[in-house]
Amino acid sequence: MEDNLSVVLHAQGDLRLEERPIPEPGPNDVLLQMHSVGICGSDVHYWQHGRIGDFVVRRPMVLGHEAAGRVVRVGSEVQHLKACCVSPCLSSPGDRVAVEPGVPREMDEFFKGGRYNLSPTIFFCATPPDDGNLCRYYKHSANFCYKLPDNVTFEEGALIEPLSVGIYACRRAGVTLGTTVLVCGSGPIGLVCLLVAKAMGASQVAVTDLSSERLKMAKQLGADFPLVVSREDSAQEVAQRVEGMMGNQPHVTIECTGAESSMQTAIYATRSGGVVVLVGLGAEMASVPLLNAAVREVDIRGVFRYCNTWPMAIAMLASGKVNVKPLVTHRFPLEEAAQAFETTRKGEGVKVMLKCDKNDQEP
Amino acid sequence: MEDNLSVVLHAQGDLRLEERPIPEPGPNDVLLQMHSVGICGSDVHYWQHGRIGDFVVRRPMVLGHEAAGRVVRVGSEVQHLKACCVSPCLSSPGDRVAVEPGVPREMDEFFKGGRYNLSPTIFFCATPPDDGNLCRYYKHSANFCYKLPDNVTFEEGALIEPLSVGIYACRRAGVTLGTTVLVCGSGPIGLVCLLVAKAMGASQVAVTDLSSERLKMAKQLGADFPLVVSREDSAQEVAQRVEGMMGNQPHVTIECTGAESSMQTAIYATRSGGVVVLVGLGAEMASVPLLNAAVREVDIRGVFRYCNTWPMAIAMLASGKVNVKPLVTHRFPLEEAAQAFETTRKGEGVKVMLKCDKNDQEP
Amino acid sequence: MEDNLSVVLHAQGDLRLEERPIPEPGPNDVLLQMHSVGICGSDVHYWQHGRIGDFVVRRPMVLGHEAAGRVVRVGSEVQHLKACCVSPCLSSPGDRVAVEPGVPREMDEFFKGGRYNLSPTIFFCATPPDDGNLCRYYKHSANFCYKLPDNVTFEEGALIEPLSVGIYACRRAGVTLGTTVLVCGSGPIGLVCLLVAKAMGASQVAVTDLSSERLKMAKQLGADFPLVVSREDSAQEVAQRVEGMMGNQPHVTIECTGAESSMQTAIYATRSGGVVVLVGLGAEMASVPLLNAAVREVDIRGVFRYCNTWPMAIAMLASGKVNVKPLVTHRFPLEEAAQAFETTRKGEGVKVMLKCDKNDQEP
Amino acid sequence: MEDNLSVVLHAQGDLRLEERPIPEPGPNDVLLQMHSVGICGSDVHYWQHGRIGDFVVRRPMVLGHEAAGRVVRVGSEVQHLKACCVSPCLSSPGDRVAVEPGVPREMDEFFKGGRYNLSPTIFFCATPPDDGNLCRYYKHSANFCYKLPDNVTFEEGALIEPLSVGIYACRRAGVTLGTTVLVCGSGPIGLVCLLVAKAMGASQVAVTDLSSERLKMAKQLGADFPLVVSREDSAQEVAQRVEGMMGNQPHVTIECTGAESSMQTAIYATRSGGVVVLVGLGAEMASVPLLNAAVREVDIRGVFRYCNTWPMAIAMLASGKVNVKPLVTHRFPLEEAAQAFETTRKGEGVKVMLKCDKNDQEP
Ligand SMILES: NC(=O)c1ccc[n+]([C@@H]2O[C@H](COP(=O)([O-])OP(=O)(O)OC[C@H]3O[C@@H](n4cnc5c(N)ncnc54)[C@H](O)[C@@H]3O)[C@@H](O)[C@H]2O)c1
Ligand SMILES: NC(=O)c1ccc[n+]([C@@H]2O[C@H](COP(=O)([O-])OP(=O)(O)OC[C@H]3O[C@@H](n4cnc5c(N)ncnc54)[C@H](O)[C@@H]3O)[C@@H](O)[C@H]2O)c1
Ligand SMILES: NC(=O)c1ccc[n+]([C@@H]2O[C@H](COP(=O)([O-])OP(=O)(O)OC[C@H]3O[C@@H](n4cnc5c(N)ncnc54)[C@H](O)[C@@H]3O)[C@@H](O)[C@H]2O)c1
Ligand SMILES: NC(=O)c1ccc[n+]([C@@H]2O[C@H](COP(=O)([O-])OP(=O)(O)OC[C@H]3O[C@@H](n4cnc5c(N)ncnc54)[C@H](O)[C@@H]3O)[C@@H](O)[C@H]2O)c1
Ligand SMILES: [Zn+2]
Ligand SMILES: [Zn+2]
Ligand SMILES: [Zn+2]
Ligand SMILES: [Zn+2]
């Protein structure tokens, strides 16, 4: 436990690999030896632009929030997780856990009401000013670390983070047996929505994207109707094509691009009485056919990350209900973070994993 | 039962009072002698513009859909309503009923699922091409006529129609004990939303309007915070003023103007995790801060008329929980329909009632 | 279309195969040539006891309500279904349909509210005094006949009826991704609940039965934890065994036996804040640990048949999400109805199908 | 701040007034000077029986959990509440607060999911072994102390605790505008359910009790139909009488007696598709018509205390929507706790308040 190599963003465009001190866990924390951490579009966005909306990188911040690792020390109050025999130690194994990156700081109305993701003061890994976990050693609230069963790999554990967006989106949409679903966008987030919709019993899922390349993975993961769209298509045309393919308008549309035209498509395409879930994050203002949504009672529901998804996700992975393994298309050791970020930036593959444990680079 | 004077719209701007034949009720219908029929903004809109969105007046259409009357004949299959002793007859009284103007024509998925207002083939009074009930005698599906208790007047019965918009909007919003509510717009629809929100237990209701005149009635009906806004105010400013007045952002906003700026206000003003209900109908496209709504999980839900509200509304009126009587500010006999429409067009008062029964012009 | 051989129950124990007139469809009806009709436990129960609760067989009644057939004539108002070219005719094919046996007779509050199964005056096949469809020709409300896609067999169509009980039970239970479920009873109804729970994303399903024989099919259909129980086991013991097997209490229990001890188990076994769904129908009074349910907020929800399930079920069968084919263990031509009923009575196999079309006895 | 006189239960029947040390608030706590504390049926039950179910008084425990007081010291981390200028101090006023007696100890699935009342390790005032607040000085988690507006008295603040049971019960029942409600039992809990149901828009509320004396207060608080029942009445008879009085079966029944016969009545009386909420706590096993509930889909939902009710309750009291003041029928200074308990034990009056502040015995 000597070094704590970390991927630190100093400012827009200034990404560095540097040593950081190993943190000291508080009474309710655990210290984790990180194993696998995925790179998210938002990590790349902070690197490229130094900000997302109102969140601005003002001082050096460790990136990374899709993570799994092993418990190496536990705080004095922690009961449900165990580290290894002697502490500090690396020889005997502590619990393997997946990390939920959002930890509410206050017991406010949102937390008490079961929607802690909406708590305005929440801690969130790699959202300024909070550090992420793309490093060797990271401390986290023990209550937001979830033990992985033996048959769930670290990488699956790390993928619970994006998967949670899909679970939460489908939950907010009310996807269930026989629901027909349109997913707009076939990036990593669109793909997890597809996977989850299928696992919840959706009978048909259509997926759109501008790139036919991107739709290949959707098809491979079970999309019934992959649909290449172009920027020239009008939203109503795309909506009609979707209805034509599916035989009826979908009950639910999950928008995962953030593009204004795709939000318009989402509204026009959805069946009366259905739901549009907005996952994709676009410009502050969007011009959309709200009248059409209103008179057909197509509800529009946003998604801000997720809450209460980890236990469910672990159950799904352990039982084999959802297979997220094909999402990982690239792996790099932590030392090669620069190439890993470059790969994600270029939109190659789907999910790039950084392997943080020098002695174990297995999935 | 000789004449059937009716208010017929022949084309944009061409409103006529004319005799029509008295209709013959089918086996599941009742024939009603109309008593009180309110004028709605949409009646005036058809008169002034000849259309609302895709609904175009192509052939003469009787106006009116806020109605109550007395059963004078019943179809052969009708069980739950009774006409008078001999039929046709006017001397002995049949049941007094309120008319739900929307009657689904098909047993489609929407009707079977309890959301018959969304059925695309629904009959609706005074929506082209379906005739309304601003006349002396009108036949309607008996299943959509609801008996009025003795302590509920005909005018209250007619007001159940706009009241239903308020009930349905508040129901979709999930208003309950302790909910704080912002109502945008203090027209008749905003006012019924105010009344219903209060009756459902809302602890604070703020109401906005451009006109301080219009807000007087809101204040009289119990608005806690009437707020005059101007077209120059930015949506975020108004939202902040609302938060300032109420001490916190409202849980729910019910938009009853259809104005784009007011929809923007609705989103910015609503608390994270809350609900914006769109009642007001505006332009096809609206530019709104969807990103703000999405990341704060402010759900946006439309309202298309209502369903399953009449029994509840009658219960409320009978028990005195809601008092709609102050909404009626003008009354005209049917023969003076022209003046009545002119009064509504000029935005004078709140609700104008046409009295269709020559022998009984009481409320 | 000469004969209309029908399975008629005249009184307790008096089951006859007899000719009946071919019915005349009304304007909103279709005449069906029946193809496959499953035998339900209730059919056998009427035969053996002449009654179920307050429903008493007072005059001869055709049995059968799990049915699929082909449209041979359509009423004058029917739009969405077609019969063959000439009518009556058997040579050219009409639409293949699954029959929803419950048809509301009145547009009452239950129907308008989307819960038509609760309408007290509902028509229901083979519930006295309403005739069922175990016959050659049967007329039914066209609105409650659902067209089968080509890749769904008649037998699958007939099985939508019991499947609907499972769909509705799981829907009332709120089963979704990652839900853990206990199903009590491994009869046909327990098995469809198992199938549906899995298709909705349940991560673990345990199934109990008194008979290990019965649990074999459960295991084959995907039960994670089959559990043989005995009448001597206390409810709390069984509950503990379930928790032990599953690693935690199940979120949801679906009771499909009607046995008092099993209802007790259902309550004790379910996690706090979870749901017990009562599908099994037992004695009027049951002695159960309501206090335990109340203080742990284990909600108890009944199931009376189903509503709004056929379209969803067809979507599931067409997309291959649910495989009900293994449920059919026996087939008999209509002429051998006596043996078919005897087979069901003895509890052999799972589902017995009667083949009503002389010229097509395929699945 | 010299003495801390406290009402301590040492064992069954052994209630003592004694001095206790003034507790030291932890970093997230506040120290309260208690002002008004109501006596609950459970306080009397512990005194009389030494236990409630599995909760047994094994060592001396301070009673009381319906409480309001003033903040006199705040822990180092507390932000939203303030004590007086110098600390300790009694001269200058700290915040006036109502105390939510249940404080979850663990961030388990129940707490994260917004149902912290179900957390098995929750701290709860005056439930063994946790001390209550019938004393002069009491420390509590600051997150579960809610600031009272100036126009809400301490006694109203204390009454939020029983009121919360009513709010939570009505919320679980889904009471809203036009709901018809049967409340079984006219003790303090039945009365708060009545008050809340009315405030949520219930159009009719019937209330039963064995004692016509008890029903007087119900009538005074707005019950539409007070109904004296006797132990000899069969449950079905009472159910029929309720239907007769109300003109239809109630949508919702809230059972507040714990008596088996009343639970039976609750099921029989409730409309198909409605809800029975079990608030009353009776014997472990109850014999009830579950079959009737199941086939009419009358859902049965328990209530374990409440969660997320204080802010809503304060909003209601501040806005005057609910008036709980008439519930207080007796007041005693803390020194006379013995008489106060005796008064409650004898069932005299409704709510007995103990006044804990020597210098301020106002409401
Ligand atoms: N709400 C949340 O909590 C949350 C969480 C994670 C990600 N997100 C957002 O979800 C979105 C998707 O994330 P991702 O990582 O998959 O991004 P991504 O950029 O990898 O994928 C987006 C995909 O959408 C496609 N696309 C763009 N415009 C389109 C259009 N008009 N029609 C169809 N397809 C179009 C792109 O070709 C691309 O394949 C992003 O906007 C991201 O910010 C939101
Ligand atoms: N969704 C439905 O089923 C349904 C049913 C009935 C009415 N409506 C719609 O509801 C809306 C209201 O109906 P109404 O009859 O009360 O109309 P109205 O025109 O009488 O009232 C609208 C009020 O909004 C005010 N207003 C306009 N712009 C505003 C702004 N920017 N901020 C604040 N206030 C503003 C106006 O001054 C006016 O008082 C209309 O758009 C109508 O079409 C919808
Ligand atoms: N609510 C509804 O709408 C509805 C619809 C259809 C069937 N049902 C009811 O569902 C129940 C199941 O129907 P089915 O056709 O599967 O019946 P079935 O008799 O074939 O199956 C019941 C199974 O339960 C088992 N069982 C009996 N006691 C048990 C116990 N204590 N613990 C565990 N298992 C036990 C039996 O061995 C049997 O295998 C019946 O009560 C039926 O009346 C209800
Ligand atoms: N679930 C919870 O979280 C919770 C919280 C507080 C209280 N409770 C329970 O609620 C119940 C009511 O509390 P309370 O303080 O009002 O008690 P209480 O004893 O003061 O009132 C109960 C009333 O019910 C009446 N009653 C008894 N049997 C009856 C019957 N068969 N029919 C009609 N009325 C009958 C009694 O005459 C009495 O007036 C108690 O069982 C209590 O334990 C539960
Ligand atoms: Zn991410
Ligand atoms: Zn109108
Ligand atoms: Zn059956
Ligand atoms: Zn209490």
Side-chain angles (χ1 to χ4, degrees), chain C residues 61-193:
Chain C
M61 174 180 82
V62 180
L63 291 176
H65 59 266
E66 306 179 1
R70 194 182 286 280
V71 178
V72 290
R73 280 177 62 192
V74 298
S76 54
E77 303 283 315
V78 176
Q79 307 271 354
H80 73 292
L81 292 176
K82 69 170 191 23
C84 40
C85 45
V86 291
S87 168
C89 134
L90 294 174
S91 56
S92 133
D95 284 334
R96 300 163 62 248
V97 298
V99 179
E100 178 170 0
V103 180
R105 282 188 174 95
E106 283 182 80
M107 235 175 254
D108 56 16
E109 62 174 299
F110 300 105
F111 189 7
K112 287 180 184 166
R115 298 180 73 174
Y116 54 81
N117 58 320
L118 299 182
S119 178
T121 58
I122 196 169
F123 167 92
F124 199 88
C125 293
T127 292
D130 301 328
D131 278 326
N133 39 32
L134 211 26
C135 54
R136 298 256 194 251
Y137 292 99
Y138 169 74
K139 81 158 188 230
H140 199 72
S141 164
N143 287 314
F144 290 81
C145 292
Y146 301 83
K147 204 174 156 175
L148 293 173
D150 290 347
N151 68 343
V152 175
T153 67
F154 280 115
E155 287 190 359
E156 288 180 291
L159 287 166
I160 291 176
E161 200 279 338
L163 185 62
S164 287
V165 177
I167 291 173
Y168 189 66
C170 287
R171 196 197 284 162
R172 292 215 90 214
V175 174
T176 185
L177 197 70
T179 306
T180 54
V181 180
L182 168 64
V183 175
C184 302
S186 188
I189 293 300
L191 293 175
V192 291
C193 289

Side-chain angles (χ1 to χ4, degrees), chain A residues 331-345:
Chain A
R331 287 182 185 88
F332 293 90
L334 182 59
E335 295 85 343
E336 298 172 20
Q339 286 111 293
F341 270 79
E342 190 55 29
T343 303
T344 305
R345 194 189 62 74

Side-chain angles (χ1 to χ4, degrees), chain A residues 185 187-189 208-210 214 229 256-257 261 279-281 303-305:
Chain A
I189 293 299
T208 67
D209 206 291
L210 296 171
R214 281 266 164 156
V229 298
C256 303
T257 75
S261 65
V279 184
L281 303 176
V303 151
F304 187 59
R305 297 165 181 163

Side-chain angles (χ1 to χ4, degrees), chain B residues 279-323:
Chain B
V279 183
L281 305 175
E284 176 67 11
M285 299 300 287
S287 183
V288 292
L290 270 196
L291 179 66
N292 185 282
V295 298
R296 296 193 306 111
E297 294 187 6
V298 171
D299 290 352
I300 301 174
R301 302 185 189 150
V303 152
F304 187 59
R305 299 165 180 161
Y306 36 68
C307 64
N308 294 306
T309 55
W310 259 254
M312 170 186 280
I314 290 175
M316 297 322 299
L317 294 171
S319 69
K321 273 264 155 189
V322 175
N323 181 13

